[in-house]
Amino acid sequence: MDISQLRETVTELLSASPNLIGSYTLPNNATIPAVYVVGPQSVPSEWKVKGLEVTMRQFPQLAPASPLGGTVKVTQVWEVILTQFTPSGTQMGVAMDRMLRRFPDATPRYFQGDDIAYERCRFLIPDLILRPLVAS
């Protein structure tokens, strides 16, 4: 899996009826779905977010590899974070359920919202890849 496949999968999953994804309002007042791939820069501060935001890291973390009969088993771990910016929003529970049913081997970590921080859930999604050994 690469980042475009992950983004497409998560966006389709969370925008299925009912759509759970919130929106960004850009400086020109245009609105777009609140889905952002975090690379060298985070979500621009001038974008206003409403509802459930979905962010994901551009590159996965690599877990230790192990040899397997002429190949190397590599586990990439993708990070997806759901953040509820509307305190009265009820999308988080449904979104977590959908994510866990689509990615049953994911590790979720839920953070309840309060007067200081927004409600969030961080998912670590493992992705196994088999690659050929490199001869030295």
Side-chain angles (χ1 to χ4, degrees), residues 87-108:
S88 61
T90 59
Q91 296 93 337
M92 184 64 79
V94 177
M96 289 172 58
D97 179 64
R98 287 185 191 178
M99 289 287 291
L100 288 171
R101 286 189 289 136
R102 174 59 182 85
F103 302 103
D105 52 352
T107 303

Side-chain angles (χ1 to χ4, degrees), residues 112-120:
Q112 186 170 342
D114 57 27
D115 60 338
I116 298 172
Y118 294 107
E119 180 181 29
R120 297 181 332 144

Side-chain angles (χ1 to χ4, degrees), residues 7-24 31-35 50-54 82 84 86 89-96 98:
R7 180 187 170 111
E8 181 180 336
T9 300
V10 171
T11 300
E12 286 179 10
L13 178 70
L14 297 179
S15 63
S17 184
N19 181 11
L20 304 174
I21 298 174
S23 61
Y24 291 126
T31 59
I32 60 173
V35 178
K50 179 180 178 184
L52 187 72
E53 177 188 55
V54 181
L82 308 179
Q84 178 57 265
T86 304
T90 59
Q91 296 93 337
M92 184 64 79
V94 177
M96 289 172 58
R98 287 185 191 178

Side-chain angles (χ1 to χ4, degrees), residues 19-71:
N19 181 11
L20 304 174
I21 298 174
S23 61
Y24 291 126
T25 301
L26 308 182
N28 65 359
N29 287 326
T31 59
I32 60 173
V35 178
Y36 193 85
V37 174
V38 177
Q41 297 180 344
S42 191
V43 176
S45 60
E46 60 272 8
W47 292 12
K48 305 297 181 218
V49 62
K50 179 180 178 184
L52 187 72
E53 177 188 55
V54 181
T55 58
M56 53 198 81
R57 296 273 173 213
Q58 182 177 8
F59 299 105
Q61 297 174 348
L62 295 178
S66 58
L68 182 66
T71 62

